Amino acid sequence: MYTRIRSTGHYVPERVLTNQDFERMVTTSDEWIRARTGIERRHIVSPGETNLDLCEKAARSALGAAGLGAEDLDLILVATTTPNQVFPNMGVLLQDRLGGHGYPCTSLESACAGFIYGLAIANSLIQTSQCRRALVVGGETLSRITDYTDRSTCILFGDGAGAVILEAASEPGIIATHLHADGAYKDLLYYPSGISLGFDRLRESRDFIRMKGGEVFRVAVNTLSQLALETLEAAGVTSTDLSWFVPHQANLRIIQSIAHKLGLPMERIVLTIADHGNTSTASIPMALDVAVRDGRIQRGQLLLFEAFGGGFTWGSALVRY
Ligand code: ACO
């Protein structure tokens, strides 16, 4: 039993923050942001718009592309670090929005690698016949935990959601997934508040994403380059066999460094960072859907997904689309 990607979808909120907008908010410049990150604009939720709204639209887009409804699913996984509420989990809330009933739904918080973790878990459940068709969503509203007075982080993040429908197939599909984590890096990239730590201090001031950008950058480049080689080697393929590399869109320079180490031309990399910014766990399914819908990604092509984020957590998936 194998798993294939049946369809994809994504959604970005209508409101856009450009680099020029940031020039009016903090001491920065369009030139600096483009040169250091590759970002030109990012989509941001409006007041009252939530992550669940984004996830619902991305999920409906993937269901629509497959000609399926919520009753045709038997699993929903939502990867996110910005859930609407602590419980019910985002998977259950999404199932309710879509009109499904009875089958398992949950969410997982693995920062930017969450979608890859979700893909690996859904793949395992399909391969062991515990479900036949899964909706896996990555959705974030990072703007809700971004400090718009901190120029070193606020220019990076955007909101959005991406979704895939996975289903049982007689041929792979998902060829291999590799997952990793190392909590020794927990202080380099984190959001400091949570339920068990207590929300008392939040009443006095909001908490925000904290990041030691330079250190994250260095570890991300080395780790992701090694991970790509590990994944390709384990599958007995090389970077020349890849049709498309669909990386987590955190920083164009990180992606360029990995491409250089792999000997992969930039023309074979799906890049959405200029338009989306860093949308954490949503970035890979969003980029995937963009490239599927504009015709770059075709059936039968070999794709490599790779993500790295807070924890650190990181993971890859090698996929025959
Ligand atoms: N505009 C202008 N100057 C800035 C800005 C800004 N927006 N931000 C920082 N600077 C300044 C700094 O203050 C510093 O000035 P100084 O030299 O006078 O002290 C200078 O620019 C260089 O700062 P660095 O932090 O060294 O800049 P760097 O080139 O490392 O770029 C960045 C910063 C873009 C954050 C980079 O480190 C990065 O992308 N890191 C990795 C982020 C990442 O991948 N996170 C992982 C995923 S996170 C997630 O997905 C949720």
Side-chain angles (χ1 to χ4, degrees), residues 20-257:
Q20 287 72 24
D21 292 324
F22 280 97
E23 287 177 345
R24 291 185 283 275
M25 294 159 65
V26 290
T27 307
T28 191
S29 66
D30 173 47
E31 193 189 358
W32 192 96
I33 300 172
R34 280 176 196 249
R36 297 297 183 106
T37 71
I39 300 169
E40 295 172 21
R41 62 192 72 80
R42 59 299 277 149
H43 295 253
I44 301 288
V45 284
S46 298
E49 191 176 22
T50 71
N51 191 2
L52 185 59
D53 299 327
L54 309 186
C55 290
E56 180 186 354
K57 287 180 171 133
R60 287 192 186 282
S61 151
L63 285 167
L68 297 170
E71 70 282 2
D72 299 312
L73 302 171
D74 48 22
L75 173 71
I76 296 179
L77 295 180
V78 177
T80 186
T81 48
T82 47
N84 274 41
Q85 55 198 78
V86 176
F87 67 86
N89 70 65
M90 285 287 280
V92 173
L93 296 175
L94 182 58
Q95 184 198 45
D96 180 56
R97 283 273 186 100
L98 297 173
H101 298 279
Y103 49 83
C105 302
T106 193
S107 55
L108 44 138
E109 38 164 336
S110 295
C112 309
F115 175 76
I116 302 288
Y117 271 66
L119 214 58
I121 292 167
N123 178 39
S124 299
L125 291 171
I126 289 173
Q127 285 191 315
T128 52
S129 300
Q130 294 180 72
C131 74
R132 288 194 58 80
R133 193 175 287 132
L135 168 65
V136 182
V137 182
E140 293 288 10
T141 46
L142 292 178
S143 63
R144 299 273 195 249
I145 53 169
T146 296
D147 180 358
Y148 285 100
T149 65
D150 173 10
R151 69 177 182 172
S152 68
T153 54
C154 70
I155 49 109
L156 298 172
F157 301 115
D159 301 335
V164 296
I165 310 271
L166 301 179
E167 66 183 11
S170 54
E171 292 174 10
I174 296 181
I175 296 167
T177 56
H178 289 82
L179 304 178
H180 296 275
D182 193 336
Y185 295 105
K186 64 186 183 304
D187 298 327
L188 294 187
L189 174 57
Y190 61 101
Y191 174 76
S193 287
I195 300 298
S196 201
L197 284 172
F199 274 125
D200 286 357
R201 61 205 184 105
L202 276 179
R203 294 198 186 102
E204 286 144 37
S205 69
R206 277 177 65 193
D207 261 331
F208 300 108
I209 297 173
R210 317 256 175 108
M211 180 171 75
K212 294 184 178 140
E215 289 169 68
V216 175
F217 190 100
R218 276 186 291 282
V219 183
V221 169
N222 290 331
T223 309
L224 287 172
S225 306
Q226 274 173 25
L227 176 63
L229 292 173
E230 172 194 347
T231 307
L232 296 174
E233 206 176 294
V237 297
T238 68
S239 60
T240 53
D241 297 313
L242 291 176
S243 302
W244 294 102
F245 178 38
V246 189
H248 169 45
Q249 314 276 319
N251 185 315
L252 181 61
R253 289 186 299 136
I254 293 179
I255 297 171
Q256 285 167 332
S257 302

